[in-house]
């Protein structure tokens, strides 16, 4: 019989479920929720922290916590955790494995098989300053109340602000992502405001406190791009300012085309000149888009493999997309703040959804959205625009084919049917959708 070497004895064993089920299985699985790459990250991170001789990071079959997954159990204590991000894993390793302290927010109770209701994380921010940067556009500088570091974000990201009336509105982060001491926002007062920008304009002053979401976003720089042309329309400059900071730091090849009615109506003029220098071209159209940027010339000058980033009114985005549409869709990166017109009416059919983590089937009638039905059943879902623009309600799709009606996912992502914006999208004819909710 072989002897057991002391080198094979571990103080800690971590078992991570990586169980797989056939696609469309109503219970889902830990692998369907990203367990395999997360377990690989856990193992690599453990080695980086020097845990190789103390802790063994094991793969496991089904641990019968499918509705809570991905899950792990840590022995000898027998402590169970649910996790979904690399940040969760880092916290478990740093606080539990190294520090001996349990991570309460990820902890599972003995015998727990269904998710417990949770409150999403919120930030408390202090308004450091408010200033005008163009007619009907204000610049807001926000900081942590204690002056400490704010959560990190990537160029192009945004935060959501919450009003006392319960509104939630998204605003792009216009500052330098490396500056953890502040968040910089630009807010335009819209004539047909649904309450968000109007409330901010009329009520927010320096010294006030705001409640915000954590930074997030799907509008990001493509690391593989050789050059980065950017096109902004009005207040659409805000996410591109953050990108400008990052591109300058990378010493990348980039140029900004900035479209506004006039010099006086150009938000963040000084910041744009400071960040982009001689890499910016201003296009003032006097309120007539036909006298502004020549999109055909700008886009036609790009190489066939060139990426382009655009943020602004839906008309500008649509025009650019139609001119760039003959190229690979993955090269066109755009973000909309709002829709210029109501989407066309469509014929809806009723369909069923199955909430995998709740073991519940619900029917979505033709006159309601998935989001409305889920909320009526008592399940909280984070939302913001509810127009299919912001990705806040993006939900993992475990089974069924969707009819995607959002403005976020690419054609390839829609064809893959891995996620769905439940505020606007529906099931394809005859399909039941299995949602990771």
């Amino acid at each position: 019989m072989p002897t057991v070497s002391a080198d094979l004895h571990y103080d800690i064993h971590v078992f991570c479920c990586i169980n797989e089920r056939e696609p469309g299985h109503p219970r889902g699985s830990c692998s369907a929720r990203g367990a395999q790459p997360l377990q690989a990250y856990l193992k690599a991170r453990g080695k980086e922290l020097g845990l190789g001789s103390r802790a063994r990071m094991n793969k496991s079959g089904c641990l019968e916590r499918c509705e809570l997954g991905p899950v792990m159990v840590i022995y000898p204590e027998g402590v169970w955790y649910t996790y979904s991000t690399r940040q969760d894993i880092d916290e478990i390793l740093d606080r539990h494995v190294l520090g001996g302290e349990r991570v309460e927010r990820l902890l599972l109770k003995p015998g727990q098989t269904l998710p417990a209701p949770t409150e999403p994380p919120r930030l408390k921010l202090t308004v450091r300053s408010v200033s005008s940067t163009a007619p009907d556009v204000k610049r807001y500088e926000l900081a942590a109340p204690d002056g400490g570091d704010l959560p990190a974000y990537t160029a192009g990201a945004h935060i959501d602000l919450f009003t006392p009336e319960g509104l939630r509105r998204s605003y792009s982060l216009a500052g330098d992502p490396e500056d953890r001491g502040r968040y910089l926002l630009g807010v335009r007062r819209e004539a047909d405001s649904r309450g968000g920008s109007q409330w901010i304009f009329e009520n927010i002053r320096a010294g006030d406190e705001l409640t915000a979401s954590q930074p997030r976003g799907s509008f990001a720089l493509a690391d593989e791009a050789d050059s980065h042309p950017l096109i902004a329309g009005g207040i659409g400059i805000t996410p591109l300012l953050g990108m400008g900071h990052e591109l300058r730091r990378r010493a990348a090849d980039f140029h900004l085309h900035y479209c506004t009615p006039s010099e006086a109506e150009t938000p963040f003029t000084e910041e744009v000149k400071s960040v982009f220098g001689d890499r910016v071209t201003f296009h003032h159209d006097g309120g007539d888009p036909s006298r502004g940027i020549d999109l055909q010339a700008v886009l036609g000058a790009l190489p066939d493999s060139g990426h382009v980033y655009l943020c602004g009114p839906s008309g500008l985005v649509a025009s650019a997309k139609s001119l760039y549409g003959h190229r690979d869709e993955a090269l066109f990166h755009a973000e909309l703040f709002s829709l210029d017109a109501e989407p066309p009416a469509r014929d809806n059919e009723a369909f069923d959804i199955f909430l995998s983590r709740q073991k519940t089937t619900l029917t979505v009638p033709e006159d309601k959205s998935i989001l409305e039905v889920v909320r009526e059943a008592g399940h909280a879902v984070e939302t913001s625009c509810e127009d299919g623009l912001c990705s806040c309600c993006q939900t993992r799709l475990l089974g069924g084919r969707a009819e995607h009606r959002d403005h976020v996912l690419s054609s390839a992502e829609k064809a893959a049917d891995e996620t769905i914006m439940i505020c606007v999208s529906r099931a394809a004819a005859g399909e039941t959708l299995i949602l990771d909710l």
Side-chain angles (χ1 to χ4, degrees):
M1 232 179 125
T3 58
V4 178
S5 166
D7 293 337
L8 297 180
H9 177 78
Y10 296 93
D11 298 326
I12 300 169
H13 280 268
V14 182
F15 290 90
C16 299
C17 177
I18 60 166
N19 184 53
E20 291 186 76
R21 288 193 174 91
E22 65 274 16
H25 192 286
R27 289 193 72 185
S29 67
C30 287
S31 283
R33 298 182 175 108
Q36 298 212 34
L38 287 171
Q39 193 276 338
Y41 176 77
L42 172 74
K43 189 170 183 178
R45 187 75 180 119
K47 288 182 179 179
E48 291 174 4
L49 294 172
L51 294 172
S53 60
R54 287 186 51 214
R56 181 176 176 86
M57 311 302 177
N58 303 278
K59 295 180 180 179
S60 170
C62 185
L63 295 174
E64 287 301 326
R65 300 290 190 277
C66 304
E67 288 70 35
L68 298 167
V71 296
M72 68 171 70
V73 57
I74 301 179
Y75 290 108
E77 302 102 315
V79 174
W80 289 80
Y81 287 114
T82 180
Y83 59 100
S84 59
T85 67
R86 291 185 173 194
Q87 289 75 21
D88 292 342
I89 290 173
D90 289 339
E91 190 171 356
I92 292 169
L93 289 174
D94 292 340
R95 290 178 56 191
H96 185 127
V97 177
L98 290 174
E101 172 190 358
R102 295 187 181 187
V103 183
E104 294 294 333
R105 71 179 185 87
L106 302 174
L107 199 62
L108 297 178
K109 295 179 181 179
Q112 181 180 347
T113 58
L114 293 176
T118 58
E119 288 295 323
R122 295 286 183 258
L123 300 176
K124 291 297 182 182
L125 301 173
T126 297
V127 181
R128 185 185 289 174
S129 67
V130 180
S131 59
S132 177
T133 182
D136 288 327
V137 179
K138 286 185 178 180
R139 177 187 187 277
Y140 295 85
E141 191 172 319
L142 313 178
D146 62 0
D149 282 351
L150 293 166
Y153 66 94
T154 56
H158 64 267
I159 59 172
D160 296 337
L161 298 183
F162 300 86
T163 74
E165 291 76 19
L167 295 176
R168 173 178 183 154
R169 295 294 181 263
S170 300
Y171 297 99
S172 294
L173 293 163
D176 184 349
E178 289 294 301
D179 182 359
R180 299 283 299 279
R182 68 169 188 168
Y183 289 156
L184 181 63
L185 308 182
V187 179
R188 176 185 174 87
R189 176 163 50 191
E190 302 290 348
D192 57 349
S193 170
R194 293 184 294 174
S197 66
Q198 191 74 25
W199 178 82
I200 291 173
F201 254 72
E202 294 179 355
N203 295 280
I204 299 304
R205 304 287 184 269
D208 288 348
E209 277 207 350
L210 293 174
T211 301
S213 69
Q214 296 276 338
R216 60 187 179 81
S218 55
F219 187 42
L221 291 168
D223 292 333
E224 69 276 14
D226 295 326
S227 64
H228 303 268
L230 306 103
I231 303 173
I235 194 61
I237 187 60
T238 48
L240 302 187
L241 263 174
M243 291 182 174
H245 280 287
E246 180 62 28
L247 292 169
R248 189 174 66 171
R249 191 162 29 251
R250 296 181 187 180
D253 178 13
F254 63 101
H255 191 94
L256 170 68
H257 293 271
Y258 191 6
C259 310
T260 64
S262 66
E263 184 175 357
E265 298 170 278
T266 301
F268 292 96
T269 300
E270 295 307 314
E271 284 92 341
V272 168
K273 290 179 178 178
S274 173
V275 172
F276 290 92
D278 60 0
R279 300 184 183 199
V280 58
T281 302
F282 292 94
H283 303 266
H284 303 310
D285 61 19
D288 179 1
S290 66
R291 297 169 50 199
I293 185 172
D294 185 344
L295 283 172
Q296 189 162 9
V298 170
L299 298 175
L302 299 178
D304 288 342
S305 60
H307 290 253
V308 64
Y309 310 84
L310 197 149
C311 185
S314 58
L316 177 66
V317 174
S319 295
K321 192 168 188 178
S322 67
L323 292 169
Y324 216 63
H326 64 286
R327 307 193 190 201
D328 185 346
E329 186 186 44
L331 303 175
F332 188 84
H333 312 270
E335 183 170 71
L336 287 169
F337 285 157
S338 64
L339 298 174
D340 289 346
E342 287 293 318
R346 304 197 200 193
D347 292 331
N348 292 334
E349 295 181 359
F351 60 94
D352 287 343
I353 57 173
F354 183 79
L355 308 187
S356 177
R357 293 181 185 266
Q358 309 297 329
K359 299 182 180 178
T360 301
T361 298
L362 302 171
T363 298
V364 181
E366 61 185 30
D367 61 341
K368 290 186 178 180
S369 67
I370 297 174
L371 175 62
E372 289 173 308
V373 170
V374 170
R375 280 179 169 166
E376 288 173 0
H379 306 295
V381 178
E382 291 266 83
T383 64
S384 180
C385 73
E386 299 188 15
D387 286 326
L389 299 174
C390 72
S391 79
C392 184
C393 68
Q394 185 168 341
T395 300
R396 184 179 285 113
L397 185 58
L398 299 175
R401 292 186 304 109
E403 181 184 307
H404 297 280
R405 300 181 180 182
D406 66 90
H407 302 273
V408 177
L409 298 177
S410 67
S411 297
E413 289 169 328
K414 291 176 179 178
D417 266 331
E418 294 177 350
T419 63
I420 182 174
M421 308 301 162
I422 63 172
C423 64
V424 293
S425 297
R426 303 181 68 81
E431 294 285 319
T432 294
L433 299 183
I434 302 173
L435 305 178
D436 191 17
L437 291 173

